[in-house]
Amino acid sequence: MATARNAGSTFAPDDDTPVFVISVAAQLAGMHAQTLRQYDRLGLVVPSRTRGGGRRYSNRDIARLREVQRLSQEEGVSLAGIRRILELENEVEVLRAQVGEMHEELGRVRAALGMSGRVFAAGRAGDVVAVRAGERPRRRFSDSRALVLYGNRRA
């Protein structure tokens, strides 16, 4: 019996939701179910498991199966080579996420320190003077024609 709260709700899986049994996943990927079992044993595509041990594949798993098949058939890459390629792709994905987190943290630190938009120039006596981006050092800091370099910043 459906409650009023979820009576109108529908199931909308995302790319990571394991919804396909092995026979459907094999059909969607265009290969035999035994091939999926072999790829699972080799760790190329690791589906989720039900409580009873049955395999369940997500849309992301299906895409990965297709990529394994493409690399094998069209590019002639061995299964060991494909495993290494997939490992490296996963590593790159993790590193990109870490870089993104570090950029966010750097932005927070700069904001907390009041460093956003600041650049540095050489003062009259050779000292370092902080100025805002796009501004020249004020005459009181320097009456020289000091060169101000603005670096490319990525935030």
Side-chain angles (χ1 to χ4, degrees):
M1 179 176 183
T3 63
R5 190 180 91 190
N6 63 11
S9 66
T10 59
F11 177 69
D14 62 10
D15 286 343
D16 294 314
T17 304
V19 293
F20 304 111
V21 295
I22 192 166
S23 59
V24 175
Q27 186 176 14
L28 291 170
M31 56 185 69
H32 195 277
Q34 191 60 36
T35 305
L36 274 67
R37 290 182 186 96
Q38 179 186 10
Y39 289 171
D40 185 9
R41 281 192 300 274
L42 295 172
L44 297 176
V45 177
V46 182
S48 296
R49 298 287 184 154
T50 64
R51 289 184 186 177
R55 294 172 174 88
R56 292 293 185 270
Y57 293 85
S58 67
N59 281 326
R60 191 173 313 278
D61 293 330
I62 303 299
R64 189 169 181 147
L65 287 166
R66 289 179 181 151
E67 178 65 6
V68 168
Q69 185 177 39
R70 186 192 70 77
L71 288 169
S72 175
Q73 292 178 357
E74 295 176 19
E75 303 295 331
V77 180
S78 70
L79 293 179
I82 292 171
R83 182 182 318 122
R84 185 65 181 139
I85 289 169
L86 295 175
E87 288 170 357
L88 291 171
E89 285 178 348
N90 288 338
E91 189 175 330
V92 167
E93 189 176 315
V94 167
L95 291 172
R96 283 185 176 149
Q98 289 175 345
V99 167
E101 291 171 6
M102 293 172 81
H103 276 293
E104 290 174 6
E105 180 65 20
L106 179 60
R108 286 191 292 272
V109 168
R110 282 181 173 165
L113 295 175
M115 293 178 61
S116 59
R118 288 177 41 180
V119 294
F120 299 91
R124 179 177 185 183
D127 53 338
V128 177
V129 180
V131 295
R132 293 185 188 273
E135 292 183 2
R136 293 178 178 264
R138 294 188 180 150
R139 290 280 183 203
R140 66 184 179 141
F141 292 129
S142 171
D143 56 5
S144 72
R145 296 177 185 234
L147 173 66
V148 179
L149 298 176
Y150 297 96
N152 289 337
R153 293 187 317 226
R154 293 182 184 195

